Amino acid sequence: MIVGLDIGGTKIEGVGLEKDLPLGSYNTLITHREPTDKSNYQDFLASVMRVIDKVASCGQIESIGIGCCGSVGSDGLMQGANVTVLNGQDFIGDLKARIDVPVAIANDADCLALSEYRDGAAKQATSSCVAVIVGTGCGSGVIINNGLVTGLNKLGGELGHNPLPNYSPEKDGKQIKCYCGSLNCSESFVSGSGFGRTFSEKYFTADSKQIMSMVAEGDSRAIEHFDLYCDQLARVLASIVNMIDPEIIVLGGGMSNVDAIYPKVQSKLAQYTFTKSVKTKVIKNVHGDSSGVRGAAFLHLI
Ligand SMILES: [Zn+2]
């Protein structure tokens, strides 16, 4: 059994998966959730171990993959995690001391890419796919030649902090400084919160769900703004095609649930790619909220 853990600010979810040998897909043997104990590192570690122990009651664990914000620094210690008790800790080392199996860690976009590439929306891809999360933020996970691209600086896929391609204040609204320090980051426009921010700047305060309700009711301002959003997203995805040229781009995160995005973005994509007959498909994820735990479990298989 391979195990995936998804560590978030409110809960820790664990899943035990076993390969279905004739079909080659993975069956879920067990899932278990615990609230994330953030009071101190030792209590946090204990809550992680409670999830692992529960999952282990279903079979022998071969490996553990962890989906988590933050990353392991060059000194082996955690950094940049929003569960802040993790930062500065040898989290992987401490887990290995408690359960002697291979342990790996990746971020949510990498886990989405692995989950969908292995047996989800991108399973027909033969060697490459990019998964893009358009939710609260925007990031991507990149698979090339069957391998996850993390990179020298652990920045592989940090697409959301490239400037929005073809940005113009007349079309896209006034320039905005991102929390990362850069101007006009793609995330400030194509994340779900960016979609709401740019609408609110132009008309009145509304979030992405409210805007999409207005689109459904035929509100011309909301429809025009949604068209602009799809154009901005097409520009961002076209930059992926021009750089990596993946077979499939899978969308995840809150905005990926808006079905009207797919035909609009697909039809606009070729306006911004180097070739005008682009074959790359932009499709919705299959595994939804389970992508975090599933992709984490697959970290050792790729
Ligand atoms: Zn940024």
Side-chain angles (χ1 to χ4, degrees), residues 3 5 8 30 70 73 79 90 108 212 241 252 269 290:
V3 172
L5 298 179
I30 183 172
Q79 58 185 18
D90 180 12
D108 55 349
M212 290 318 297
V241 176
L269 195 61
S290 305

Side-chain angles (χ1 to χ4, degrees), residues 160-162 177-188:
H161 299 280
N162 281 346
K177 191 165 187 178
C178 179
Y179 67 86
C180 76
S182 296
L183 272 182
N184 303 325
C185 284
S186 296
E187 177 173 287
S188 303

Side-chain angles (χ1 to χ4, degrees), residues 39-261:
S39 44
N40 62 67
Y41 179 63
Q42 288 308 323
D43 288 346
F44 167 79
L45 209 50
S47 60
V48 173
M49 285 311 299
R50 278 197 297 279
V51 176
I52 292 174
D53 289 343
K54 184 73 182 177
V55 173
S57 67
C58 249
Q60 192 177 353
I61 296 177
E62 293 165 34
S63 63
I64 297 175
I66 301 167
C68 183
C69 57
S71 60
V72 178
S74 52
D75 54 3
L77 306 180
M78 290 294 295
Q79 58 185 18
N82 69 353
V83 179
T84 51
V85 293
L86 260 171
N87 293 324
Q89 302 289 348
D90 180 12
F91 180 43
I92 291 183
D94 290 335
L95 279 184
K96 280 184 172 172
R98 286 163 174 76
I99 178 164
D100 188 21
V101 295
V103 178
I105 199 160
N107 68 28
D108 55 349
D110 290 340
C111 290
L112 173 68
L114 281 178
S115 173
E116 298 297 328
Y117 182 70
R118 176 68 52 176
D119 66 350
K123 70 177 176 188
Q124 70 268 43
T126 56
S127 70
S128 63
C129 94
V130 174
V132 179
I133 293 184
V134 274
T136 312
C138 172
S140 69
V142 179
I143 289 172
I144 299 177
N145 292 334
N146 295 310
L148 195 58
V149 177
T150 49
L152 179 65
N153 302 293
K154 303 274 191 283
L155 288 175
E158 287 295 353
L159 172 80
H161 299 280
N162 281 346
L164 179 71
N166 294 20
Y167 166 79
S168 83
E170 295 76 28
K171 197 172 177 182
D172 301 303
K174 64 182 180 189
Q175 63 177 11
I176 176 150
K177 191 165 187 178
C178 179
Y179 67 86
C180 76
S182 296
L183 272 182
N184 303 325
C185 284
S186 296
E187 177 173 287
S188 303
F189 299 87
V190 300
S191 62
S193 29
F195 179 47
R197 180 192 66 80
T198 45
F199 181 90
S200 304
E201 192 181 284
K202 223 183 314 182
Y203 303 111
F204 52 87
T205 304
D207 63 20
S208 55
K209 281 192 176 148
Q210 290 165 325
I211 301 165
M212 290 318 297
S213 298
M214 287 188 271
V215 169
E217 289 160 6
D219 184 294
S220 58
R221 295 164 299 183
I223 290 170
E224 189 183 313
H225 194 70
F226 179 59
D227 265 354
L228 171 65
Y229 174 84
C230 290
D231 187 76
Q232 291 166 332
L233 186 57
R235 288 182 241 161
V236 171
L237 302 187
S239 70
I240 296 176
V241 176
N242 283 346
M243 187 74 189
I244 293 167
D245 203 0
E247 291 156 80
I248 289 173
I249 296 174
V250 183
L251 300 186
M255 290 304 289
S256 74
N257 295 319
V258 178
D259 290 333
I261 280 181

